[in-house]
């Protein structure tokens, strides 16, 4: 069953975040992930949610998503993201 990593970023330091953005894609691909959404335009239709930069990454299953999130390659970049943005991140099982 597919699993999705969904991230809502509020970028606070665009200069530092640009390094994260340039390097993260290779780690996603190395773990079999595929970007579905990567920071495109957002239109809120209902509710009061005001998302920042949304990212949706599809993995074959939850184990693959968690393997990426716990990988040394991601850990190296996670610190950059945490210094340059605040984020909400969830893993959601799909269909």
């Amino acid at each position: 069953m597919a699993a999705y990593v969904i991230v809502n970023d509020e970028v606070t330091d665009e200069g530092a975040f640009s390094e994260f953005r340039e390097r993260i894609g290779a780690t996603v691909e190395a773990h079999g992930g595929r970007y579905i959404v990567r920071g495109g335009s957002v239109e809120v239709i209902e509710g009061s949610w005001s998302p920042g930069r949304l990212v949706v990454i599809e993995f074959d299953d939850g184990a693959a998503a968690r393997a990426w999130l716990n990988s040394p390659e991601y850990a190296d970049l996670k610190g950059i993201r945490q210094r340059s943005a605040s984020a909400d991140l969830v893993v959601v099982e799909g269909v």
Side-chain angles (χ1 to χ4, degrees), residues 5-92:
V5 173
I6 302 173
V7 184
N8 178 30
D9 280 320
E10 289 292 337
V11 177
T12 56
D13 181 345
E14 188 60 49
F17 193 81
S18 66
E19 179 183 357
F20 173 82
R21 186 182 289 129
E22 289 172 13
R23 296 175 54 198
I24 196 66
T27 71
V28 169
E29 291 174 14
H31 287 270
R34 296 164 293 284
Y35 283 99
I36 305 299
V37 174
R38 192 172 187 188
S41 176
V42 175
E43 178 184 2
V44 176
I45 303 300
E46 291 186 32
S48 59
W49 186 28
S50 182
R53 180 180 179 274
L54 286 178
V55 177
V56 178
I57 307 168
E58 181 182 44
F59 289 89
D60 289 340
D61 53 36
R66 287 174 189 83
W68 171 67
L69 287 166
N70 293 312
S71 71
E73 301 87 359
Y74 178 72
D76 182 44
L77 297 175
K78 183 178 178 180
I80 296 170
R81 182 186 52 77
Q82 290 176 328
R83 287 189 302 276
S84 62
S86 60
D88 297 307
L89 188 149
V90 297
V91 175
V92 179

